[in-house]
Amino acid sequence: MRRFWFYVREGIEDLKKNKGRSFLTSLGIIIGVYSVVLLLALGEGIKVYIQDTFESLGSNIVYVLPFKIQAGRGNSSLNAKQFDAQDYITLRTQIHDARVVPITQSTVQAISRSEIVNTQLVGGTRDIFSMLNLRLQKGRYFSESESSSSRKVVVIGPDVAEKLFENRNPIGKRITIDELPFTILGVLEPKGGGGLGGPNLDLQIYAPYKTVQQINGNKFISAFYVQPSSDTSITAVVSRIETLLSRNRNSDELGVSTQEELIGTISNIFAVINTVLIGIAAISLLVGGIGITNIMYVTVTERTREIGIRRAIGAQKHDIMLQFLALSLLLTGVGGGIGLLLAYLSTLAIRMVFPATITPIAPIIAFGVSFAIGLIFGVLPARKAANLSPLEAIRSE
Amino acid sequence: MIEVHNVSKIYRPSKQVEVVALHNITITIKKGEFVAILGSSGSGKSTLLYVIGLLERPTSGTVRIENKDTASLDDEHISRIRGEMVGFVFQQFNLIPNLTVLANVLLPSRYTPKPQAESRAIALLETFGIGSKVNAYPNQLSGGQQQRVAIARALMNNPNIIIADEPTGNLDSKTGKQIVELLQEIHKKEEKTIIIVTHDASIAAYAKRIIHIQDGELQ
């Protein structure tokens, strides 16, 4: 071991003498470790991001969808058998210890006097605002009676207000949605979202669900949001909903998920994508490793005479072997360190817009992989060096 | 004591070609002898030297060093004996270019650890008049200075045998004379066995015994 450190010190001197070449040799490892660690950090960030997004949508919500959400299988949301008014009545009358909001949706064009914006119209009851933590910036929510009488009133997200009215006050103004006139009651506080191709929550418009059904031209309900009161067991509510709604549906036509399950499912999908990307990045580590082998062969050839001299003055085969292994381990170790550092700096920059996180396991992976590559791809050249005939080596030019 | 018995060395550079470098050589070199092996180029003198120095294995015959038969030893043992008992001096000096003078002299003690290696190395360099060059690199030294460093390195582990392959071959005659006188002094003061290969009779004349070799055979 003491001798090994001696070879490491000698190796450091060698690297200093060949800075340019050492750097180029390590570049493959630098890039490989950089991409792997960065992708790990992004993967970690996605988990946090999904968690945050869902939590900002209100907590403790049970999502009732007309299809099963499953990772690894295409879902059938397009030809789902949607819910109807009867389902709503069933839930509302049979589940007393929870609030139920029916959700209807439509992709619409909203037009003010001078501007047009394409957006998502979300229909619900008044409870949708408290359930999703949607707070008002100005104006008011629509009332229960406005909701049940399907009045053409809307509460708009701040980005909609900004796009349609710029700095003017939109409260009380008229907008046209799918050629029908609507009155603006309120403007919501900013909520964020919109990264990763997810919906921009600030660009949504909320209206009574029956009004949205009119626009859609049908009586369907696309989902229910159910929020059990705080002293009620969520699992009990979930199984109650399942029992009530599965009477006239197949098992794949109903998906009742808690927020945690939904987060888990979506996170899993991203984790699979992330793993594939890391696999691709790992290929560059392989290429980097081959570069190490290549340059180590060159080094052995260049230093053949020195190897012979060392053998003549008492170095055993394993001394030579260790010397060259130390050199390749140094190359990959330094490469791994630089890659890790760059990934860390990039992560810091990315954190300004996205919660990427370097976990404590990342350095272990970075150095573990680097040293493994140094060992695997350094062994052949090192063995070649060790097995040279000492006299032939000394006599080589 | 070194006993070379019936040693032959045959090289086969390719399947059809056979080069007999040494043919049935038998010599005995006593402990503390100063021997010169004299021969023209291609005579097999260097091969004989490296067979004695355990860098080359004979095709047949035996080499015994201090009553130890080396034929049966594996590479690890041979390397260890080389490190402890033999010091090499080469025509090309063969210092390692990216190590300092001191690191070069210390190198044998890295492979065969010795106590107080550093102070011994410095003392050797000072004795040879190059104490001020401890931290210099080989390419900053003259040929004569480099060869002194090489001799210091050969003496580092205090081996009983010093083997020198044309040690003056790359030096001018004046410096060459100084180097061979240095070897002679080491022989006298430290009672080392010194075996020197040369094609120069005036260098060989410093030795107590001269072994003539031609076409792989002793004359």
Side-chain angles (χ1 to χ4, degrees):
Chain A
M1 204 57 204
R2 201 173 57 87
R3 272 198 223 175
F4 182 73
W5 287 116
F6 166 67
Y7 301 130
V8 169
R9 279 204 302 278
E10 271 201 353
I12 291 170
E13 292 303 314
D14 289 341
L15 295 195
K16 279 187 193 162
K17 292 227 163 57
N18 288 308
K19 282 196 196 90
R21 183 159 99 182
S22 308
F23 174 74
L24 287 176
T25 309
S26 304
L27 200 55
I29 304 296
I30 295 175
I31 293 170
V33 168
Y34 171 77
S35 8
V36 168
V37 172
L38 193 62
L39 282 166
L40 281 172
L42 288 175
E44 205 57 38
I46 287 168
K47 271 191 221 160
V48 175
Y49 177 82
I50 292 169
Q51 190 90 29
D52 287 354
T53 307
F54 272 87
E55 273 167 11
S56 76
L57 289 176
S59 54
N60 225 11
I61 297 176
V62 177
Y63 299 91
V64 183
L65 302 168
F67 52 86
K68 272 231 170 346
I69 301 177
Q70 269 172 328
R73 215 193 285 175
N75 69 46
S76 49
S77 63
L78 286 179
N79 44 22
K81 181 184 170 191
Q82 301 228 28
F83 300 114
D84 55 25
Q86 189 54 50
D87 293 316
Y88 181 37
I89 293 166
T90 308
L91 289 181
R92 210 176 43 185
T93 54
Q94 303 290 315
I95 300 178
H96 305 287
D97 39 12
R99 293 191 291 171
V100 179
V101 173
I103 300 292
T104 52
Q105 276 182 309
S106 187
T107 305
V108 295
Q109 249 184 10
I111 305 169
S112 70
R113 204 175 281 173
S114 52
E115 302 292 333
I116 296 179
V117 67
N118 289 309
T119 181
Q120 191 73 25
L121 180 66
V122 179
T125 55
R126 186 188 160 91
D127 278 344
I128 193 173
F129 298 108
S130 58
M131 205 184 269
L132 300 185
N133 288 334
L134 299 167
R135 276 187 279 279
L136 282 171
Q137 197 183 102
K138 282 183 206 146
R140 64 174 180 88
Y141 301 127
F142 49 78
S143 67
E144 284 296 345
S145 67
E146 281 167 328
S147 170
S148 54
S149 58
S150 57
R151 293 279 290 276
K152 295 191 180 54
V153 289
V154 289
V155 174
I156 62 177
D159 286 0
V160 180
E162 160 81 30
K163 286 193 176 171
L164 292 184
F165 296 96
E166 288 173 23
N167 302 323
R168 287 166 289 143
N169 182 7
I171 305 296
K173 295 257 164 46
R174 288 280 173 107
I175 54 171
T176 308
I177 296 174
D178 278 20
E179 294 169 7
L180 295 170
F182 279 75
T183 307
I184 296 169
L185 298 180
V187 178
L188 297 169
E189 278 181 1
K191 192 109 182 155
L196 287 178
N200 178 359
L201 300 172
D202 294 344
L203 196 61
Q204 288 188 337
I205 299 179
Y206 296 86
Y209 79 98
K210 283 186 175 170
T211 316
V212 179
Q213 282 178 336
Q214 281 180 12
I215 288 178
N216 284 343
N218 60 44
K219 291 274 182 188
F220 291 137
I221 293 166
S222 53
F224 294 105
Y225 291 175
V226 181
Q227 191 172 41
S229 56
S230 53
D231 54 346
T232 312
S233 142
I234 286 198
T235 45
V237 170
V238 167
S239 63
R240 184 112 178 87
I241 296 170
E242 277 172 344
T243 318
L244 287 169
L245 293 184
S246 61
R247 280 177 197 155
N248 48 10
R249 315 191 138 249
N250 296 328
S251 64
D252 61 344
E253 287 172 340
L254 180 65
V256 185
S257 327
T258 63
Q259 205 163 27
E260 270 167 26
E261 286 168 347
L262 219 51
I263 290 173
T265 309
I266 295 176
S267 297
N268 278 344
I269 294 167
F270 278 105
V272 169
I273 297 170
N274 198 234
T275 309
V276 170
L277 288 176
I278 288 171
I280 294 169
I283 294 175
S284 65
L285 281 172
L286 189 71
V287 175
I290 294 167
I292 297 281
T293 306
N294 198 11
I295 212 72
M296 288 306 296
Y297 270 125
V298 172
T299 306
V300 169
T301 306
E302 279 177 354
R303 296 171 69 171
T304 297
R305 187 139 168 206
E306 175 189 329
I307 293 163
I309 299 164
R310 287 177 187 262
R311 294 279 278 131
I313 62 181
Q316 297 175 17
K317 284 183 177 183
H318 72 256
D319 289 312
I320 302 298
M321 180 106 185
L322 275 179
Q323 181 186 346
F324 283 91
L325 271 185
L327 198 57
S328 71
L329 283 174
L330 265 174
L331 278 171
T332 55
V334 169
I338 295 174
L340 182 66
L341 182 72
L342 291 178
Y344 184 71
L345 294 177
S346 302
T347 304
L348 283 185
I350 292 169
R351 280 186 76 87
M352 290 183 222
V353 291
F354 183 77
T357 311
I358 294 215
T359 53
I361 195 124
I364 300 172
I365 290 176
F367 283 113
V369 166
S370 302
F371 286 135
I373 287 173
L375 212 55
I376 293 165
F377 289 91
V379 154
L380 286 178
R383 268 187 47 182
K384 184 191 170 195
N387 288 328
L388 287 171
S389 142
L391 190 57
E392 277 175 41
I394 289 176
R395 283 178 169 167
S396 73
E397 284 309 307
Chain B
M1 184 134 95
I2 303 161
E3 295 161 278
V4 175
H5 186 71
N6 252 345
V7 160
S8 295
K9 179 73 191 178
I10 298 162
Y11 291 107
R12 288 175 204 276
S14 68
K15 272 183 187 162
Q16 291 82 23
V17 186
E18 209 176 84
V19 180
V20 181
L22 296 176
H23 184 67
N24 281 344
I25 301 253
T26 299
I27 44 168
T28 303
I29 296 166
K30 288 196 210 76
K31 201 173 174 192
E33 259 196 289
F34 186 172
V35 178
I37 301 173
L38 187 63
S40 55
S41 105
S43 61
K45 59 185 190 304
S46 289
T47 306
L48 177 58
L49 187 75
Y50 289 120
V51 166
I52 293 170
L54 304 180
L55 262 183
E56 188 82 308
R57 288 193 185 238
T59 313
S60 63
T62 57
V63 178
R64 296 171 73 86
I65 291 186
E66 289 176 4
N67 275 327
K68 212 180 282 176
D69 185 0
T70 59
S72 58
L73 298 177
D74 61 15
D75 189 83
E76 193 180 322
H77 277 91
I78 295 267
S79 305
R80 203 176 295 156
I81 293 174
R82 221 163 35 216
E84 282 177 9
M85 304 218 275
V86 187
F88 287 90
V89 178
F90 302 93
Q91 179 177 359
Q92 318 274 356
F93 321 134
N94 279 348
L95 301 174
I96 292 172
N98 51 2
L99 296 182
T100 62
V101 164
L102 182 62
N104 263 289
V105 176
L106 277 171
L107 206 52
S109 71
R110 300 288 186 199
Y111 299 118
T112 314
K114 296 278 163 187
Q116 276 132 28
E118 191 155 328
S119 55
R120 176 172 167 82
I122 292 171
L124 281 168
L125 288 168
E126 275 168 359
T127 316
F128 296 167
I130 39 176
S132 60
K133 305 287 185 186
V134 167
N135 292 316
Y137 284 89
N139 61 3
Q140 297 167 320
L141 304 185
S142 70
Q145 287 172 326
Q146 287 192 52
Q147 197 60 300
R148 280 165 210 267
V149 175
I151 293 171
R153 180 177 68 185
L155 288 170
M156 181 63 218
N157 282 350
N158 205 13
N160 287 324
I161 305 162
I162 300 290
I163 277 180
D165 185 8
E166 301 266 15
T168 61
N170 269 22
L171 302 170
D172 60 69
S173 59
K174 191 182 156 211
T175 318
K177 214 179 132 203
Q178 287 170 355
I179 290 296
V180 76
E181 278 167 359
L182 182 59
L183 289 171
Q184 192 180 40
E185 201 181 308
I186 292 163
H187 161 70
K188 279 183 187 154
K189 277 194 186 158
E190 311 212 8
E191 294 171 351
K192 306 261 178 231
T193 309
I194 294 189
I195 307 166
I196 179 170
V197 152
T198 184
H199 63 277
D200 183 341
S202 72
I203 297 293
Y206 283 87
K208 296 252 176 73
R209 172 152 74 116
I210 298 177
I211 297 169
H212 291 270
I213 186 166
Q214 199 178 346
D215 298 331
E217 295 186 54
L218 297 186
Q219 298 297 301

